[in-house]
Amino acid sequence: MSLFAKENDMRPLRPLLCLPVLLLLSACAGESSPDAAAPAATAAAPVEAAPAPAAPTDEAGLRAAAASALSEQRLYSPVGDNAIEHYLALRALVPGDANIETALVELLPYALIGSEQAIARGDFTEARRLVGLVERADAELPALSRLRDSLVAAEAEAEAEAEAAALAAEQEAARREEAEKLAASAEAEARLRAAAATPAS
């Protein structure tokens, strides 16, 4: 008998040989374990916010960060990730670089305008921060003295207005209290008169 014939003779037996394995798998699948039967109740894990990237400290990283800030118009804000601060860090790292100095000179007017706008809207914390940036960029800038004076004057005016408002509120509270006392006294007096006018039964 040829090998081919023997192989043909074995073909009818192959399904029978596989049957026990299939039955075993079917039995295992039919068994319901508590873990398998119970619906998956795994709560979705909260997605953690990605940490903020660390500020670059090398020259290439600072130049890239400064260029990105310029293209996105982040000239003097947000804090720590703006063009002026990146160029200041670059100047400290590469002193005497003419391109860095030119960039700072061109950016200073925007910081001056931003500080004046912050003073005008009463955001003195932001104004002080921007004045500090201007001073770091060019401590000899002629407009710096005027800017400081404007900030001091605006803060003093705001403080005086706050004190005046507090005094006015205190006076208004005292006036209301006095009016309530007078009203209570008048009501009590009216009751006494009414009681006196009522004849005794």
Side-chain angles (χ1 to χ4, degrees), residues 15 27 52 76 79 91 98 109 113 115 134 142 159-161 170 180 192:
Y76 50 79
V79 178
R91 187 173 68 178
I113 293 172
S115 59
V134 172
E159 185 177 355
E161 289 177 354
E170 184 179 347
E180 289 173 359
L192 288 174

Side-chain angles (χ1 to χ4, degrees), residues 41-49:
T42 54
V47 179
E48 295 183 0

Side-chain angles (χ1 to χ4, degrees), residues 11-56:
R11 284 178 184 173
L13 297 177
R14 286 177 182 170
L16 296 176
L17 293 174
C18 296
L19 184 60
V21 178
L22 294 174
L23 291 174
L24 180 60
L25 292 174
S26 176
C28 292
E31 293 178 358
S32 59
S33 63
D35 294 338
T42 54
V47 179
E48 295 183 0

Side-chain angles (χ1 to χ4, degrees), residues 34-72:
D35 294 338
T42 54
V47 179
E48 295 183 0
T57 56
D58 61 296
E59 182 180 353
L62 285 169
R63 288 187 184 277
S68 175
L70 282 175
S71 66
E72 296 173 8

Side-chain angles (χ1 to χ4, degrees), residues 11-196:
R11 284 178 184 173
L13 297 177
R14 286 177 182 170
L16 296 176
L17 293 174
C18 296
L19 184 60
V21 178
L22 294 174
L23 291 174
L24 180 60
L25 292 174
S26 176
C28 292
E31 293 178 358
S32 59
S33 63
D35 294 338
T42 54
V47 179
E48 295 183 0
T57 56
D58 61 296
E59 182 180 353
L62 285 169
R63 288 187 184 277
S68 175
L70 282 175
S71 66
E72 296 173 8
Q73 296 295 303
R74 291 181 282 108
L75 305 182
Y76 50 79
S77 64
V79 178
D81 189 15
N82 57 76
I84 291 181
E85 290 191 59
H86 291 318
Y87 277 118
L88 286 172
L90 266 173
R91 187 173 68 178
L93 194 64
V94 191
D97 189 303
N99 291 329
I100 296 173
E101 294 295 342
T102 300
L104 285 171
V105 168
E106 292 177 350
L107 286 168
L108 276 179
Y110 297 99
L112 287 170
I113 293 172
S115 59
E116 290 172 348
Q117 291 173 341
I119 291 171
R121 66 175 180 266
D123 189 353
F124 302 125
T125 300
E126 175 68 359
R128 283 192 294 271
R129 183 185 75 84
L130 292 176
V131 170
L133 281 183
V134 172
E135 186 173 8
R136 286 172 58 193
D138 186 358
E140 303 300 324
L141 191 70
L144 189 57
S145 177
R146 174 186 58 79
L147 195 60
R148 287 200 198 100
D149 292 343
S150 297
L151 177 57
V152 170
E155 286 180 314
E157 183 179 356
E159 185 177 355
E161 289 177 354
E163 290 177 355
L167 179 60
E170 184 179 347
Q171 291 174 342
E172 177 64 16
R175 186 191 65 77
R176 288 182 179 178
E177 184 179 358
E178 183 64 23
E180 289 173 359
K181 287 180 180 179
L182 290 174
S185 177
E187 184 179 357
E189 185 177 352
R191 287 177 181 173
L192 288 174
R193 285 199 301 266

